[in-house]
């Protein structure tokens, strides 16, 4: 999930470029009756409506609940036949906003940018309640606080948000981001890069941090949430288009109900949930999936009253932070960016 942040930023920029095209096509076919719904079958057979959900990146434990919902029959119980697909070049946000796919996995960061640009996406559920990302470095470097970023080399993907985040948490300790050597390292592997090219990088602990544990490589983590409440945003989230939410609310409710059951299963049964993901995606490292799932399952819901619930304050805080730092052209109407109305009671 380290390299997914590079992908995420490029997707967000692509969304901005497609705004006019989306407006011209009226949001695609998302509001139309699903043409893939099963037809025929014997009388009494329950027809399942075929829908797709597109991932944000390659399969990992952020997505376990979707696989559990599909393979344990929770989507089927809601009358849905759900296909989980990869994003390809277009990216999840664009595929969902255009109406080509009904649902997707995205991030508060990119959805915020999309909505400010006029792209009609809406967040349906927070997959994980709190931001688990942070800046990681080899333990021997001694980089255990933002102040110690000074004089160090940061390796990222070359987006303005990176320096803004580093600056934000360094200011909390009176440190100067101007003393950090910020460079782009492309698709370099995190473990290779911190030994050869850089001193620290931005990772998600649930995947890359857990992998470091398995490798026996000790790292220091500087979590964003330890230094700024405004950086405790939802990443990732489940999304759909405004068009689908408005015109097919029962479909959206059914999908979210199935997904919620899947994530609840992963919360309650992390070991079995890991095996579901491993069986579905055999190219993944089984040991990493099992360890990551054990670490992440308690964090899906965390301190929220139910899985998926989102707060207006979280959406507003992060959007205000982005706007204050010139990362958004205008302020976000935060109350329109998300909804809890489709979550099960």
């Amino acid at each position: 999930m380290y390299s997914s942040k590079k992908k995420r930023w490029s997707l967000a920029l692509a969304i901005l470029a497609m705004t006019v095209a989306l407006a011209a096509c009226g949001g695609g076919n998302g509001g139309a009756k699903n043409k893939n719904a099963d037809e025929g079958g014997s009388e009494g057979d329950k027809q399942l409506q075929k829908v797709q959900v597109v991932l944000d990146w390659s399969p990992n434990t952020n997505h376990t609940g979707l696989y559990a919902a599909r393979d344990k029959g929770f989507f089927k119980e809601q009358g849905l036949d759900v296909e989980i697909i990869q994003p390809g070049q277009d990216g999840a946000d664009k595929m969902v906003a255009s109406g080509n796919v009904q649902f997707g996995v995205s991030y508060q960061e990119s959805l915020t940018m999309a909505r400010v640009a006029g792209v009609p996406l809406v967040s349906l559920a927070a997959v994980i309640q709190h931001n688990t990302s942070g800046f990681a470095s080899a333990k021997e470097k001694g980089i255990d606080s933002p102040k110690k970023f000074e004089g160090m080399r940061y390796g990222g993907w070359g987006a303005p948000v990176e320096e803004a985040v580093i600056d934000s948490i360094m200011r909390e300790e009176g440190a100067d981001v101007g003393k950090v050597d910020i460079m782009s390292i492309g698709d370099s592997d995190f473990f290779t890069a911190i030994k050869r090219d850089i001193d620290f990088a931005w990772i998600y602990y649930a995947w890359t941090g857990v992998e470091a544990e398995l490798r026996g490589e000790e790292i220091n983590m500087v979590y964003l949430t330890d230094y700024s409440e405004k950086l405790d945003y939802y990443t990732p989230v489940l999304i759909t288009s405004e068009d689908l939410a408005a015109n097919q609310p029962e479909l959206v409710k059914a999908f979210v109900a199935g997904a919620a059951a899947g994530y609840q299963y992963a919360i309650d049964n992390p070991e079995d949930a890991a095996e579901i993901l491993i069986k579905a995606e055999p190219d993944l490292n089984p040991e990493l999936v099992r360890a990551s799932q054990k670490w992440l399952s308690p964090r899906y819901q965390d301190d929220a009253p139910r899985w998926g619930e989102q707060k207006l304050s979280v959406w507003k805080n992060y959007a205000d932070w982005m706007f204050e730092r010139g990362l958004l052209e205008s302020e976000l109407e935060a109350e329109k960016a998300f909804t809890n109305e489709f979550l099960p009671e």
Side-chain angles (χ1 to χ4, degrees), residues 171-184:
R171 284 175 182 268
E172 295 294 317
E173 296 197 335
D176 182 6
V177 72
K179 296 180 180 179
V180 180
D181 184 6
I182 298 176
M183 61 184 72
S184 176

Side-chain angles (χ1 to χ4, degrees), residues 134-144 149 190 194 198-201 203 217-222:
F135 296 104
S137 58
K139 196 174 185 76
E140 60 265 24
K141 297 280 186 180
I143 308 173
D144 55 8
F149 292 168
F190 167 75
I194 62 169
I198 61 171
D199 298 307
F200 69 106
I203 71 166
E217 299 190 21
E218 294 186 348
I219 62 172
N220 280 326
M221 279 292 294
V222 176

Side-chain angles (χ1 to χ4, degrees), residues 14 19 164 166 168 188 203 265 276 294 344:
T19 304
I166 294 170
S168 183
S188 296
I203 71 166
Y265 186 86
I276 290 172
K294 182 179 179 180

Side-chain angles (χ1 to χ4, degrees), residues 5 8 109 128-134 165 202-205 221 223-226 228-236 295 299 302 314 318:
K5 295 188 70 67
R8 177 170 61 205
E109 308 100 300
I128 303 170
Q129 264 304 304
H130 296 286
N131 188 351
T132 63
S133 74
V165 168
W202 195 348
I203 71 166
Y204 285 90
Y205 195 87
M221 279 292 294
Y223 289 100
L224 275 57
T225 54
D226 288 342
S228 174
E229 184 181 67
K230 291 187 175 183
L231 295 177
D232 190 12
Y233 49 83
Y234 298 123
T235 176
W295 191 90
R299 292 170 172 82
D302 208 299
V314 174
Y318 184 65

Side-chain angles (χ1 to χ4, degrees), residues 4-10 12-13 108-110 112-113 131 133 135 154 156-169 177 182 202 204 224 230-231 233 318-319 321-323 325-328:
S4 70
K5 295 188 70 67
K6 297 189 280 284
K7 178 77 169 180
R8 177 170 61 205
W9 186 260
S10 65
L13 295 181
Q108 184 174 333
E109 308 100 300
S110 61
T112 295
M113 292 182 67
N131 188 351
S133 74
F135 296 104
Y154 167 76
W157 63 102
V161 70
E162 295 173 275
E163 183 171 348
V165 168
I166 294 170
D167 178 50
S168 183
I169 65 173
V177 72
I182 298 176
W202 195 348
Y204 285 90
L224 275 57
K230 291 187 175 183
L231 295 177
Y233 49 83
Y318 184 65
W321 179 90
M322 293 185 79
F323 183 68
R325 283 156 182 78
L327 300 171
L328 297 176

Side-chain angles (χ1 to χ4, degrees), residues 125-132 232 234 236 260-261 263-268 293 295-311 343-345:
V127 172
I128 303 170
Q129 264 304 304
H130 296 286
N131 188 351
T132 63
D232 190 12
Y234 298 123
Y263 278 100
Q264 190 61 52
Y265 186 86
I267 291 168
D268 297 336
Q293 195 63 61
W295 191 90
L296 190 58
S297 280
R299 292 170 172 82
Y300 287 134
Q301 180 175 339
D302 208 299
D303 55 359
R306 57 182 169 170
W307 174 84
E309 187 154 323
Q310 303 170 83
K311 295 178 182 178
L343 290 171
E345 293 298 329

